[in-house]
Amino acid sequence: MAAQLRQLKARLKSAQSIKKITKAMELVATSRIAKAQERVAASLPYARAMTDVMTSLATSATINHPLLQPRPNPRKAGILVVTADKGMAGAYTANALKHTEQLVKRLQEEGKQPVLYVVGRSGVGYYSFREREVEQSWTGFTEKPTVDDARTITRTLLEAFMAGGEETVSDGHPGVDEIHVVSTKFVSLLTQTPQSRRLAPLEVEEVEEHELEDHVLLPDYEFEPNPEALLDSLLPKYLITRVYAALIESAASESASRRRAMKAATDNAEEMSKDLTREMNAARQAMITQEISEIVGGAQSLADAGKG
């Protein structure tokens, strides 16, 4: 009985320690969600202005720019998948990877060879364990991505795309004919949805309706220098904007998923602590009852012996 009580105390102490850790992680994730949402909101004006300019350029000029023209008979498709550097984020990484596998299957059915680019240690570990080749990976910043991170990733993807699926880039990595990005869209604190978008050949996207409040019609731009030169300069910057948007929205989704997972873990640890406390109290009560019974039995035996 005493051994059982010691075991229950040890389990209770362990559950309480886990609860403290998961509660702390929940609070950290909560604070990071707010900061990530601030970064998303801060990037919107620039993204909106860039989209306006790119839309005007694309609609007002008939230009055969390599980043805007689909390749005939594309052979290779690059896929940038954004995952987490750390675990304990619920199904965040698993959902992104599942969505990536669906995209890989669809591209293969179209006769294209997928070429993987991975952001986050979780994704790198996933493909390494399955012995799947990853052309390039970036880690260490998924919770707090910067524009420099997006610029580095975009430079690599652009080099591969400009080389084309028939060629290799300077560092020996294969070129690609298409580029897709798989990231996680932050819908709310409870909902984060994996999504895939084609990054190149570029499709200039209009901002969503909820981002267009008080938004006026596009101005009639006069381009100086000519639209071709502007496209050469602005298209890479626009791609950086798209990659950065995917990174920061995925960062907000990662923190939201981790907060939800840690809250569930904290609640489970609390419930386990209550169950163990009740079990320990019952064991202590049984031990005390047994000791009282032994004392009463011993006293009765002494009394009977005295009468004899």
Side-chain angles (χ1 to χ4, degrees):
M1 189 68 70
Q4 180 188 6
L5 193 59
R6 286 194 298 269
Q7 185 181 24
L8 289 172
K9 285 182 179 179
R11 291 177 61 191
L12 178 60
K13 184 177 179 181
S14 177
Q16 290 173 340
S17 298
I18 291 173
K19 177 186 171 183
K20 290 179 182 178
I21 294 171
T22 55
K23 184 63 177 179
M25 293 182 69
E26 177 189 346
L27 295 175
V28 170
T30 301
S31 67
R32 285 180 175 168
I33 293 172
K35 293 177 181 177
Q37 288 179 303
E38 288 175 3
R39 287 196 293 271
V40 172
S43 70
L44 280 178
Y46 178 80
R48 182 183 296 129
M50 181 67 79
T51 299
D52 290 350
V53 174
M54 295 307 304
T55 301
S56 295
L57 276 170
T59 56
S60 66
T62 56
I63 303 171
N64 294 324
H65 194 280
L67 283 173
L68 297 175
Q69 299 301 319
R71 305 276 172 82
N73 301 318
R75 295 178 59 252
K76 295 181 181 178
I79 301 175
L80 174 69
V81 52
V82 184
T83 65
D85 277 323
K86 300 176 182 177
M88 297 194 220
Y92 167 76
T93 292
N95 288 339
L97 292 171
K98 181 180 179 181
H99 194 83
T100 303
E101 293 300 320
Q102 293 172 350
L103 177 60
V104 166
K105 183 178 179 181
R106 178 170 62 82
L107 292 173
Q108 288 174 336
E109 290 174 350
E110 294 173 359
K112 302 169 187 174
Q113 177 185 344
V115 179
L116 292 169
Y117 301 87
V118 180
V119 176
R121 294 190 182 93
S122 297
V124 173
Y126 173 87
Y127 290 112
S128 175
F129 179 77
R130 287 159 179 79
E131 299 182 349
R132 301 262 298 276
E133 184 176 2
V134 172
E135 290 303 326
Q136 203 143 343
S137 62
W138 300 268
T139 61
F141 57 80
T142 61
E143 289 183 303
K144 297 179 180 179
T146 65
V147 176
D148 287 337
D149 298 322
R151 186 177 293 111
T152 300
I153 295 170
T154 304
R155 186 184 303 117
T156 298
L157 298 177
L158 269 178
E159 288 178 357
F161 180 76
M162 297 306 291
E166 302 288 343
E167 305 293 335
T168 59
V169 295
S170 57
D171 55 5
H173 292 291
V176 297
D177 298 308
E178 294 178 357
I179 299 174
H180 302 261
V181 57
V182 177
S183 59
T184 305
K185 181 177 179 60
F186 181 87
V187 180
S188 68
L189 289 175
L190 297 178
T191 306
Q192 300 83 44
T193 307
Q195 62 182 1
S196 58
R197 295 181 179 179
R198 195 179 74 184
L199 201 63
L202 188 62
E203 295 175 330
V204 178
E205 295 183 350
E206 297 287 351
V207 291
E208 297 181 6
E209 290 183 4
H210 69 273
E211 298 170 2
L212 287 171
E213 296 177 1
D214 303 324
H215 195 49
V216 297
L217 295 175
L218 294 177
D220 185 14
Y221 291 106
E222 292 184 4
F223 300 110
E224 180 66 33
N226 57 60
E228 291 85 351
L230 283 174
L231 277 175
D232 284 335
S233 175
L234 291 180
L235 278 174
K237 291 182 173 63
Y238 182 65
L239 288 177
I240 292 171
T241 302
R242 296 272 298 273
V243 171
Y244 180 61
L247 291 177
I248 59 177
E249 194 158 21
S250 293
S253 299
E254 178 185 346
S255 294
S257 184
R258 181 169 289 113
R259 174 189 175 275
R260 191 168 64 253
M262 291 302 97
K263 186 179 188 308
T266 301
D267 293 343
N268 289 339
E270 174 67 22
E271 188 65 28
M272 183 180 292
S273 296
K274 292 179 180 178
D275 291 341
L276 288 171
T277 299
R278 285 193 292 266
E279 192 174 347
M280 189 174 64
N281 290 339
R284 183 184 293 114
Q285 185 177 6
M287 187 174 65
I288 293 172
T289 301
Q290 181 180 355
E291 290 176 352
I292 292 174
S293 298
E294 291 174 353
I295 292 171
V296 171
Q300 186 64 42
S301 298
L302 289 175
D304 293 343
K307 291 179 181 179

